[in-house]
Each structure stands twice: as structure tokens, then as C-alpha cells.
Amino acid sequence: MAAESSPFLNVEGLTIRFGGLTAVGGLDMAVAKGSIHALIGPNGAGKSTTFNCISRFYTPSAGRITYDGRDITRMPAREMAGLGIARSFQNLELFGELSVFENVLIGAHVHAGRSWRDAISARPRGIVEHVEQLLERTGLTSYAQTKARNLDFGHQKMVEIARALAIRPKLLLLDEPAAGLRNREIAALDRLLCELRERDGLTILLVEHVMQLVMSISDKITVLSFGTKIAEGTAAEVRANPAVIEAYLGREAVQEAAHG
């Protein structure tokens, strides 16, 4: 469970419009420090748009985002890593021709005090040890010298998570980390994320469609539908919420189920 209840990441009245379309409207969401917080909803609900606002790829039309007491609403995206915010992407963003080790090393270049190209060539000892530890924790040690493009999808996903962890983040944003994974890979991801929360005190916000993972590990879940928050609470509370059931199954399906 969360180490404390005060918001570590606080989203207030977040609104973003694209032309005449409101993708997210007036979202409030408080993420407690040391918690795993899931953001879920049907396709097109506004989850990735919210993520892109928090990680500063999009600038909100209205609202405020604070992280660790600091307003980051309009801060440049390039400054996020330095603040301790790391993210993965729904579509893999790996360097396919580089080895697994080099991909993760790139993530650690923030702490090397030099460009990522220099970090790869110089390989400072402390950074190398950090990368090796991450490869061990994510089950990638035996693939260290394998080119990223030669890995199967599940291992590529883990490389991206390891690279995000390489910056030593305080807040980890994961965009559909379980998408396309097999059951045993989802179980391994479940163990890793719980370990990161419990052993490292990491705060994790994830967008995810795989409910097996969401319901297993989340301290709190926020549910979006058409850009609006329709529910929030524990896994049990969200699972039983009629608005959530309707958003996922549709009004007609819910009525049919109710009438047997």
C-alpha cells in the first residue's frame, strides 16, 4: 500500500482540447507517494492524452499539474528526467541496432554528466554497475549483448522499463506495459512493479488495459470515459461501480445482464 496519503503527483482541473474536441475535461487525480496508481478506461477515453500532459509532451488547455510540490504544468519535457520522472511508451522506442546493455545505459546518461553517445563510449564504472543491477532485476542479464531488435516482444518491453528505471526515477509512468505480454510475462511484471513499490518506494502511474495486472497491484484506480473521470477507488470499489461496468460493457449489455 501507499507509504503516505499526501499527493506526490497532483492533477487539478486538467483539460486539453484539440480544435473543437475536448480530449480530457476537468480531470482531478491525486497520486500518493509510494503507491501504484492505475489510469484505465475504454479506448479513446483520454488516458494517453493525460499521460502526455503529465510527461509534458502536450501542454494542457487548462488546469495544473504539480509533482513533489512543484508546478510542472508548462515545464519543458526535456527537464522531466532531471526531476526524477521517467516513462515508457505504448509503442516501443528502442534503439534496435544497439545492445540491450547500451539501450539501458542510454537511460542512465542523465547521471553521467555527458551526452548519451559519450556515456556509451566512456561507460563510467558506477553507471555500468547500475545498469548491470537493472538487467539482473528485470531478467535481462543473459541478453545484455543482444541487439534489441532481436529480442521477442516481451523482453523488448522489459528493456524499455529497465531504461526508464536507469534514470533512478521517483515517479515512473508506464504506458500499457502489459500489452501483448503472455501470462508468465505479466506475472513477472507484476512481481517487478510490486518490488519497486515495496523495496524502492517508487511511485508508479500506469495506463493499462490488462485488468489482471491492474486489479492485482493497484493501490488506487482512476477510471476515464470520454475524457471525464467516472470513478475512482480501490480495485474492489471500481470493479463494483455501475458506471465502470457500463463504460466497458455498454448500457445495453448491463441492462440485459440485470434482467437475466
Side-chain angles (χ1 to χ4, degrees):
M1 293 295 293
E4 57 184 72
S5 58
S6 60
F8 188 57
L9 174 71
N10 202 27
V11 176
E12 302 173 273
L14 180 69
T15 299
I16 183 162
R17 303 181 185 92
F18 299 105
L21 173 68
T22 299
V24 178
L27 174 64
D28 293 325
M29 180 175 67
V31 179
K33 188 173 184 179
S35 72
I36 296 178
H37 193 125
L39 181 61
I40 68 171
N43 288 331
K47 304 181 300 297
S48 291
T49 300
T50 300
F51 238 47
N52 284 332
C53 288
I54 294 170
S55 56
R56 302 300 305 112
F57 286 93
Y58 293 162
T59 296
S61 305
R64 185 169 181 255
I65 304 169
T66 56
Y67 158 75
D68 201 13
R70 182 171 184 172
D71 191 330
I72 62 169
T73 312
R74 284 169 173 74
M75 191 170 289
R78 64 178 178 274
E79 296 183 18
M80 294 297 99
L83 291 177
I85 300 176
R87 71 165 291 178
S88 70
F89 293 85
Q90 183 177 349
N91 299 314
L92 293 171
E93 300 284 346
L94 299 177
F95 294 88
E97 290 300 315
L98 296 182
S99 70
V100 167
F101 183 91
E102 289 168 333
N103 268 275
V104 180
L105 187 65
I106 287 172
H109 83 275
V110 170
H111 299 286
R114 60 191 77 196
S115 72
W116 66 263
R117 290 184 177 85
D118 289 341
I120 285 179
S121 60
R123 303 195 177 201
R125 181 176 178 181
I127 298 296
V128 167
E129 291 176 351
H130 177 50
V131 171
E132 288 174 344
Q133 290 169 1
L134 285 175
L135 294 182
E136 182 177 356
R137 292 186 73 178
T138 53
L140 293 169
T141 300
S142 61
Y143 301 99
Q145 301 309 317
T146 303
K147 288 185 177 181
R149 65 177 173 82
N150 292 333
L151 295 177
D152 61 41
F153 186 72
H155 284 102
Q156 288 182 343
K157 281 264 189 172
M158 202 59 74
V159 173
E160 188 162 61
I161 292 173
R163 187 174 63 186
L165 291 171
I167 79 162
R168 296 184 174 95
K170 299 176 184 176
L171 173 65
L172 179 62
L173 307 173
L174 297 177
D175 196 351
E176 299 200 26
L181 299 188
R182 292 166 288 191
N183 285 338
R184 62 179 176 81
E185 293 167 335
I186 293 172
L189 179 61
D190 185 313
R191 290 191 296 270
L192 174 64
L193 297 185
C194 288
E195 181 184 277
L196 290 170
R197 172 185 57 191
E198 292 156 14
R199 196 180 94 181
D200 300 74
L202 190 60
T203 305
I204 300 171
L205 174 64
L206 73 152
V207 167
E208 187 54 75
H209 282 290
V210 178
M211 291 299 103
Q212 169 190 342
L213 180 69
V214 170
M215 296 299 173
S216 172
I217 68 173
S218 300
D219 296 303
K220 193 173 183 181
I221 301 171
T222 299
V223 189
L224 294 183
S225 182
F226 297 106
T228 301
K229 182 168 74 172
I230 61 170
E232 190 169 70
T234 65
E237 291 167 341
V238 165
R239 190 186 293 116
N241 190 300
V244 176
I245 297 170
E246 181 176 318
Y248 273 94
L249 299 179
R251 186 183 300 271
E252 291 183 3
V254 172
Q255 291 174 343
E256 288 176 6
H259 291 90

